[in-house]
Amino acid sequence: MRNHLRTFTLLAVMTALFVGVGYAVGGPTGMLIALVFAGGMNLISYWNADKIVLRMYRATEVDAAHPEPLIRNYVNDVLELAARANMPAPKIYVIDQDQPNAFATGRDPQHAAVAATRGLLGLLDRREIRGVMAHELAHVKNRDTLTMTITATIAGAVGALANFAFFFGGRDAEGRPANMIAGLAMMIIAPMAAGLVQMAISRSREYEADREGAEISGDPQALASALQKIEAYAKGGYHNPDAERNPATAHMFIINPLAGGGADNLFSTHPATQNRVRALMEMAGRPVTDPRRPGGGAPQVRTGRDSGRGTAVPVTGARRPGPWS
């Protein structure tokens, strides 16, 4: 409820910012023109977002008949988790990329797709993969793609209005901008403010997807462990060329593919991983182990016999090597 309220509040702030800038630039007429322009662009993107993003990352659709057992397990687990969440089965993709990561896309649960990289499938054990994919299904169930499209539409409108203010604002008798400093300030500050609100909404939705994903899988500790492993790999300095070419997609991934570091600050698209892990471990009713302290480490994932609501999927054998080893 707190995250829903936060999202609603941030959307209200974004709308108020748009209304204020729009009215200052051109009154109700100028505001409406900018909104229609930005809305049209984002509507096209919304209806085709899944195809666009999956093509960007050269994702390949897979099914339960795939020849690799690892891929078959991944597909079967996603389908089982979707059924557990009372959701339509999404399309399932694999991205041939070493960086462990995953994302969900699609305009609604009936047109959804989830994707995981080969790096994620090779790095995590089966329970952790299930935890990650439950998180992505939670994004679909919560219609977070719709929420982010709305914020992108308003942010785009704010940017358009700010440019209008600078280039087409009031003029003096010689045709120069009446107040160039004010126009320049609006052109810079208004889009920045809108972008910050977008990031705040994205962070809020990540916390909500962690919570609901843990409920879907019944195993919050598995997701906590997965998040720590994925971030540890990202901090190892791996360069993701696809993500670097398309930085606007960074907020879609479970961990920011552009950088492993960061915290819950204004300029972060994702919450700090340690804060996400702490919240998940509180759900599980176990103390948080800080991996930075001597003797610390990632939380131990429960087995099916002692996890209460956890899945019956066994933990795979030895953990695969990674940069945290």
Side-chain angles (χ1 to χ4, degrees):
M1 179 61 69
R2 182 172 58 187
N3 282 324
H4 283 301
L5 180 60
R6 183 180 304 159
T7 300
F8 175 81
T9 302
L10 291 169
L11 283 171
V13 170
M14 182 85 85
T15 303
L17 176 64
F18 169 76
V19 171
V21 174
Y23 193 81
V25 172
T29 302
M31 181 175 62
L32 182 60
I33 291 173
L35 179 61
V36 170
F37 176 75
M41 292 182 61
N42 283 285
L43 189 62
I44 294 172
S45 176
Y46 173 65
W47 284 92
N48 296 281
D50 54 343
K51 302 179 185 67
I52 293 171
V53 176
L54 292 167
R55 195 176 298 121
M56 277 182 188
Y57 288 93
R58 299 182 295 280
T60 303
E61 188 171 3
V62 293
D63 57 30
H66 197 278
E68 294 183 46
L70 187 66
I71 303 296
R72 289 201 302 272
N73 288 341
Y74 159 59
V75 171
N76 289 329
D77 286 343
V78 170
L79 295 176
E80 190 269 324
L81 289 166
R84 179 183 289 198
N86 297 315
M87 295 171 55
K91 292 184 178 180
I92 304 170
Y93 290 81
V94 169
I95 300 171
D96 190 14
Q97 195 175 87
D98 291 336
Q99 186 186 62
N101 229 317
F103 66 82
T105 186
R107 61 185 182 271
D108 55 43
Q110 287 71 37
H111 302 88
V114 295
T117 65
R118 281 191 173 273
L120 182 135
L121 299 179
L123 179 70
L124 306 184
D125 66 39
R126 189 170 177 182
R127 293 176 66 108
E128 292 163 340
I129 294 170
R130 285 173 63 90
V132 168
M133 300 321 296
H135 167 100
E136 298 306 330
L137 289 172
H139 273 309
V140 173
K141 187 174 183 179
N142 292 337
R143 298 177 183 264
D144 287 338
T145 52
L146 176 60
T147 300
M148 294 311 297
T149 299
I150 293 172
T151 61
T153 299
I154 303 176
V158 170
L161 285 174
N163 286 326
F164 270 169
F166 182 73
F167 291 107
F168 303 106
R171 303 275 168 170
D172 60 20
E174 298 180 5
R176 294 172 302 187
N179 192 336
M180 182 176 291
I181 294 177
L184 183 62
M186 182 177 292
M187 187 176 71
I188 296 173
I189 295 173
M192 183 181 295
L196 292 177
V197 175
Q198 268 188 286
M199 291 178 183
I201 292 175
S202 178
R203 293 193 298 272
S204 176
R205 302 321 300 158
E206 286 301 313
Y207 278 123
E208 185 68 15
D210 284 346
R211 182 194 64 78
E212 189 150 349
E215 290 179 353
I216 291 172
S217 68
D219 200 348
Q221 291 167 295
L223 176 55
S225 178
L227 289 173
Q228 289 183 318
K229 286 185 176 183
I230 297 169
E231 185 187 55
Y233 191 102
K235 283 184 175 178
Y238 175 80
H239 178 73
N240 186 329
D242 291 329
E244 295 291 342
R245 283 193 297 268
N246 305 286
T249 63
H251 71 278
M252 297 179 60
F253 288 85
I254 191 167
I255 290 286
N256 190 341
L258 302 177
D264 277 343
N265 57 51
L266 289 175
F267 301 97
S268 171
T269 58
H270 290 67
T273 299
Q274 63 186 16
N275 293 343
R276 298 171 70 179
V277 169
R278 182 176 296 108
L280 288 164
M281 297 304 287
E282 287 173 357
M283 283 186 67
R286 294 183 59 176
V288 180
T289 302
D290 188 344
R292 295 171 298 179
R293 294 177 180 174
Q300 296 298 311
V301 180
R302 298 181 185 181
T303 65
R305 292 187 298 273
D306 65 0
S307 61
R309 296 178 57 203
T311 169
V313 175
V315 177
T316 53
R319 295 186 185 273
R320 297 170 176 82
W324 63 91
S325 300

